[in-house]
Amino acid sequence: AQTVTQSQPEMSVQEAETVTLSCTYDTSESDYYLFWYKQPPSRQMILVIRQEAYKQQNATENRFSVNFQKAAKSFSLKISDSQLGDAAMYFCAYRSTKAAGNKLTFGGGTRVLVKP
Amino acid sequence: GAVVSQHPSRVICKSGTSVKIECRSLDFQATTMFWYRQFPKQSLMLMATSNEGSKATYEQGVEKDKFLINHASLTLSTLTVTSAHPEDSSFYICSARPLSSNQPQHFGDGTRLSIL
């Protein structure tokens, strides 16, 4: 079974600065998807960014980018120019490409605090 | 973008009551929907995978008779918490994935269930 680990329970960042959230995963599959979701206090789950394992290029969405290291099974998220609205829980998630395994496996989450 | 509607957003009821939560995909069809449970300050735990026209697949440790799932159409799945007790109080979130296999899951806004 796949597992996802987020080793940082909480990270603090100054407004306008950069913060990097770590995520590692364990799988025996070669093709899969990785995601970062944001959960603000409203508890909505908002997709931040996704990465397909067969793509070597790191995904980028505006101020959010990932560092995908497939061999190391690492998928970190970098938030640049942090804004107050970035304060939330961030969850890393794994999804198999196999039809029977389309469920998401989540990491434990990292709380991001943004200091004004 | 794809929208998932979850209703109700908040339920407070007495112990012994059965509670039904609906999850609807508003602008896409979903053969598969997922039900998660989230305890305070914890990650999302998958409870079951809801399959249109067939029985749901439950995760280990989840009581099938306690958490009844029905997925009668391509746009609606329901979770019924039967004879709810205070320990069933939690935040329940559903998600749905469009038929196209490379699309990400879209989440409902969740249901906060409180059993008195």
Side-chain angles (χ1 to χ4, degrees):
Chain A
Q2 293 83 15
T3 58
V4 179
T5 302
Q6 293 178 248
S7 60
Q8 306 151 315
E10 187 175 287
M11 293 287 284
S12 185
V13 61
Q14 201 72 35
E15 194 175 7
E17 296 295 311
T18 296
V19 64
T20 299
L21 311 184
S22 66
C23 173
T24 58
Y25 57 94
D26 186 27
T27 184
S28 58
E29 299 175 341
S30 60
D31 198 15
Y32 45 86
Y33 297 98
L34 295 166
F35 304 86
W36 278 98
Y37 281 90
K38 172 184 178 181
Q39 188 180 42
S42 65
R43 303 191 81 168
Q44 284 181 299
M45 291 293 287
I46 301 167
L47 178 63
V48 174
I49 201 166
R50 61 180 290 195
Q51 175 82 42
E52 293 156 334
Y54 68 85
K55 291 186 177 180
Q56 293 185 339
Q57 187 174 8
N58 289 322
T60 298
E61 287 288 341
N62 300 314
R63 297 182 295 106
F64 298 88
S65 61
V66 298
N67 183 3
F68 173 47
Q69 300 291 326
K70 190 172 183 179
K73 297 180 182 176
S74 171
F75 183 60
S76 62
L77 174 70
K78 184 171 76 172
I79 307 174
S80 304
D81 185 24
S82 296
Q83 300 176 0
L84 295 178
D86 294 334
M89 283 291 293
Y90 286 81
F91 294 101
C92 178
Y94 172 103
R95 196 188 94 195
S96 171
T97 58
K98 296 178 181 178
N102 274 320
K103 61 184 180 183
L104 286 171
T105 301
F106 286 93
T110 297
R111 181 175 302 280
V112 172
L113 305 173
V114 181
K115 297 179 180 178
Chain B
V3 177
V4 173
S5 174
Q6 187 172 341
H7 179 80
S9 59
R10 184 83 163 96
V11 180
I12 303 173
C13 58
K14 295 181 179 179
S15 185
T17 306
S18 291
V19 178
K20 180 185 284 188
I21 303 170
E22 292 187 348
C23 183
R24 294 180 183 273
S25 56
L26 296 185
D27 53 358
F28 65 95
Q29 293 182 328
T31 56
T32 305
M33 293 185 176
F34 303 89
W35 288 96
Y36 297 87
R37 183 174 182 175
Q38 186 178 30
F39 290 104
K41 298 184 179 181
Q42 293 189 24
S43 187
L44 280 71
M45 289 180 52
L46 180 66
M47 298 175 64
T49 301
S50 173
N51 305 299
E52 189 268 335
S54 64
K55 292 182 178 180
T57 304
Y58 289 81
E59 294 299 301
Q60 191 173 9
V62 178
E63 298 179 56
K64 300 178 183 181
D65 295 333
K66 178 71 169 177
F67 299 100
L68 299 179
I69 289 173
N70 183 273
H71 193 154
S73 77
L74 286 172
T75 59
L76 174 64
S77 176
T78 60
L79 168 67
T80 301
V81 184
T82 61
S83 186
H85 289 94
E87 58 266 29
D88 298 323
S89 299
S90 191
F91 191 69
Y92 295 87
I93 312 177
C94 72
S95 71
R97 186 177 60 80
L99 293 179
S100 175
S101 63
N102 64 350
Q103 292 295 310
Q105 292 184 22
H106 300 278
F107 285 83
D109 287 345
T111 298
R112 189 181 304 274
L113 176 62
S114 299
I115 308 299
L116 305 178

